[in-house]
Amino acid sequence: METIALTKIANTAHRFITQAVIVGARVFGRAFAEAYRQASASSKYAQSSIPNSGSSTSKNFISSGLTLDEACKILNVKPPKAGSANIEEVTERFKRLFDANEPTKGGSFYLQSKILRARERIELEAREAQEAAETEAELKEGWKPKVWKDR
């Protein structure tokens, strides 16, 4: 009699554990699928909300998460006009703010990273504007290949 009761308890425990594992796997699987859907939708929304989504500037916005205006506000500099930025002023403000937020001196690593990304963003804009100006100047004067001549 006791062996039959123990067998029933063992079967019941086995079934209960199996059901718990199956239900847990279903819940985890559904949560993972929903999280993936939300991440995918959020990524698509971020890409669609950026103007000129094919340009390299928008790709850099996605990677750094800063617009040019935000970067200028962080470093407290004026936005570049006609593609020319005062790089010396940007560098000086960057160094001062970066050193002031040193984590070993009680500063914030988060603020340091924001300051670094702001400087990179402004320098990127200046570099792209300079390249565009050089291309424009080359187009105005005409294509003149640089050829090594025999001496």
Side-chain angles (χ1 to χ4, degrees):
M1 189 73 131
E2 287 183 25
T3 57
I4 295 173
L6 289 176
T7 306
K8 284 184 177 181
I9 292 174
N11 278 343
T12 306
H14 180 336
R15 287 181 186 160
F16 178 71
I17 292 172
T18 304
Q19 285 179 344
V21 169
I22 291 172
V23 168
R26 282 183 189 165
V27 168
F28 181 75
R30 288 179 183 163
F32 184 78
E34 183 63 27
Y36 180 77
R37 271 185 250 140
Q38 286 181 356
S40 176
S42 135
S43 173
K44 287 178 184 175
Y45 175 76
Q47 288 178 345
S48 69
S49 67
I50 298 172
N52 301 329
S53 61
S55 71
S56 63
T57 302
S58 66
K59 291 175 187 170
N60 289 317
F61 170 78
I62 292 170
S63 67
S64 71
L66 286 177
T67 63
L68 182 60
D69 290 336
E70 289 172 332
C72 291
K73 286 178 184 176
I74 289 171
L75 292 178
N76 195 22
V77 294
K78 293 179 182 175
K81 292 183 180 176
S84 63
N86 188 353
I87 298 299
E88 293 81 25
E89 181 184 6
V90 170
T91 304
E92 181 266 324
R93 298 261 173 117
F94 163 76
K95 286 180 182 177
R96 185 173 52 80
L97 291 171
F98 194 81
D99 291 340
N101 286 294
E102 180 66 36
T104 58
K105 298 177 185 174
S108 167
F109 177 74
Y110 173 77
L111 290 177
Q112 264 193 337
S113 66
K114 282 293 193 182
I115 292 165
L116 177 66
R117 298 293 171 241
R119 186 203 67 186
E120 289 175 345
R121 174 72 176 164
I122 293 171
E123 287 177 349
L124 171 80
E125 285 292 324
R127 191 176 329 114
E128 286 181 351
Q130 182 182 10
E131 289 172 0
E134 287 174 359
T135 304
E136 186 68 30
E138 186 176 294
L139 289 174
K140 279 185 179 178
E141 76 179 43
W143 187 64
K144 296 179 183 173
K146 297 175 181 141
V147 180
W148 186 75
K149 296 181 180 180
D150 294 333
R151 293 178 189 191

